[in-house]
Amino acid sequence: MALECATCPVRDQAACAVLDEQERAELATAGRTRTLSRGEVLFAAGDDADACATLLTGALKVSSTDISGEERILALIHPAGFVGEMFRPFADHDVTALTDCRLCVFSRSAMEAALDKHPALARALLRRSQDELHSARALLELTGKQDAATRIAGLLLSLAQAASHSPCHPAQAFDLPLTRGEMAQMLGLTIETVSRRLTRLEKDGVIAKNGKRGIELVDPARLSSLAGAV
């Protein structure tokens, strides 16, 4: 499916925002839109994937599998995030859809040509890749927290910040891209502990649950305090 930049939900946040309208329209001719269903693999570890993509909607996980078959989630990719072979941050890991996703996909050769032509785009993508790696490290550091409440509050705060269009404030409401089992696996906790802590946060008036996946931050300042962010 051809790209439609005018209606792109991340046109102001993605790396291509550094291009003017004519440059963006030219780049769009080389790309296509791809959709993924939850659980579908975008890139598999070790594959010679000759493509890269910007996530438009949904969420992706970057994971590895050990010799015993246990998966470890290493990073989350949110809308406007960039994945692929250009800077090889995740070349040896699986990239899988956590939710139904829509992506803007380019071949490696087409993107390399665009980077040669537009140095500002190359710099923007490099900054984006660095930001993704920083976010991945921050999530992995949560597993080192001794207190389960701190780990869960930190993950919720990270997800709220990723869902926000503001660099200063987390989103007031967002959908959890992770199941409780995935949260437990990522944080080194049991599913029962995750469920108890989420229920406690709700009873304490820190968050409110909206349906199966929705989370509202009722008291963002307290969540930030619990996460050790203030």
Side-chain angles (χ1 to χ4, degrees):
M1 184 183 300
L3 301 182
E4 298 180 358
C5 294
T7 58
C8 174
V10 296
R11 62 177 281 117
D12 295 327
Q13 292 84 43
C16 59
V18 299
L19 302 178
D20 62 32
E21 291 301 321
Q22 181 177 346
E23 292 169 338
R24 196 186 304 221
E26 180 183 340
L27 178 63
T29 62
R32 61 184 177 87
T33 299
R34 179 178 174 183
T35 58
L36 297 176
S37 299
R38 174 176 169 81
E40 190 172 352
V41 176
L42 176 63
F43 300 126
D47 282 358
D48 186 18
D50 188 26
C52 55
T54 294
L55 182 62
L56 305 181
T57 62
L60 302 166
K61 65 178 178 181
V62 180
S63 63
S64 64
T65 304
D66 62 25
I67 58 175
S68 67
E70 183 176 352
E71 181 189 52
R72 185 182 186 192
I73 299 174
L74 304 172
L76 303 177
I77 306 297
H78 302 282
F82 181 81
V83 290
E85 291 290 300
M86 303 310 297
F87 303 108
R88 296 184 61 82
F90 305 122
D92 299 322
H93 306 297
D94 296 321
V95 180
T96 308
L98 278 169
T99 66
D100 292 344
C101 295
R102 190 158 59 95
L103 305 103
C104 173
V105 181
F106 294 88
S107 68
R108 180 172 182 169
S109 59
M111 184 57 70
E112 286 178 339
L115 297 183
D116 288 340
K117 188 173 183 178
H118 305 294
L121 180 60
R123 291 192 294 270
L125 281 178
L126 182 57
R127 285 195 300 271
R128 170 65 65 178
S129 294
Q130 291 171 334
D131 289 344
E132 298 290 356
L133 288 173
H134 176 76
S135 296
R137 284 195 296 268
L139 283 177
L140 290 176
E141 286 173 359
L142 289 175
T143 62
K145 305 290 186 181
Q146 293 186 350
D147 184 72
T150 301
R151 298 187 204 183
I152 293 171
L155 179 58
L156 291 178
L157 185 62
S158 175
L159 294 173
Q161 289 168 336
S164 176
H165 294 304
S166 168
C168 302
H169 305 287
Q172 183 176 1
F174 62 96
D175 287 338
L176 278 175
L178 299 162
T179 65
R180 294 187 182 188
E182 288 165 336
M183 292 174 68
Q185 187 277 328
M186 173 173 269
L187 297 175
L189 302 170
T190 65
I191 297 176
E192 292 77 14
T193 296
V194 170
S195 295
R196 286 196 302 269
R197 291 300 179 178
L198 288 174
T199 298
R200 173 55 60 187
L201 288 172
E202 185 176 26
K203 288 182 177 179
D204 289 346
V206 180
I207 65 171
K209 300 173 188 174
N210 296 321
K212 185 176 181 181
R213 295 269 187 166
I215 294 290
E216 179 185 352
L217 302 192
V218 179
D219 192 342
R222 189 173 179 192
L223 183 67
S224 182
S225 178
L226 289 169
V230 294

